[in-house]
Amino acid sequence: IRHMTFASIARPQDIPIMDLSKCAKISDDEFIKLICENPQIEGINLSGCYLLTDRAFRHLANLEHLKYFNCSDCSKITQEGLRHIPTRH
């Protein structure tokens, strides 16, 4: 999916579950835009999104409804980035 396509995929609150698995070309900026425009997201699958870094994950803390999250094979994500994934107590 190209940059322009990512920008036009989502409208606010349209997407409860976002499956971006194997979207190896999605950038931090594109991902940040998607999650900022869709704060009601309940699930995200990022498996194989190799370009994403900790910078993108900082914005996950704002997703209050997140229940499911997969970032397997996201090789640029460190423990620092993982700390931003919301947890339910």
Side-chain angles (χ1 to χ4, degrees), residues 16-60:
I17 297 174
M18 187 178 296
D19 186 354
L20 299 173
S21 59
K22 303 201 192 292
C23 289
K25 294 191 180 208
I26 187 170
S27 70
D28 283 348
D29 291 334
E30 292 163 335
F31 178 69
I32 291 166
K33 181 172 176 51
L34 283 172
I35 62 171
C36 287
E37 290 182 353
N38 294 280
Q40 301 299 322
I41 292 172
E42 295 177 7
I44 302 175
N45 184 357
L46 299 173
S47 176
C49 294
Y50 305 110
L51 297 180
L52 294 181
T53 69
D54 290 346
R55 184 173 78 85
F57 277 42
R58 286 186 204 125
H59 296 268
L60 293 171

Side-chain angles (χ1 to χ4, degrees), residues 69-87:
F69 187 81
N70 179 5
C71 64
S72 58
D73 298 324
C74 291
S75 57
K76 293 185 179 184
I77 303 302
T78 68
Q79 287 300 110
E80 175 63 30
L82 295 176
R83 284 196 286 205
H84 297 286
I85 299 170
T87 58

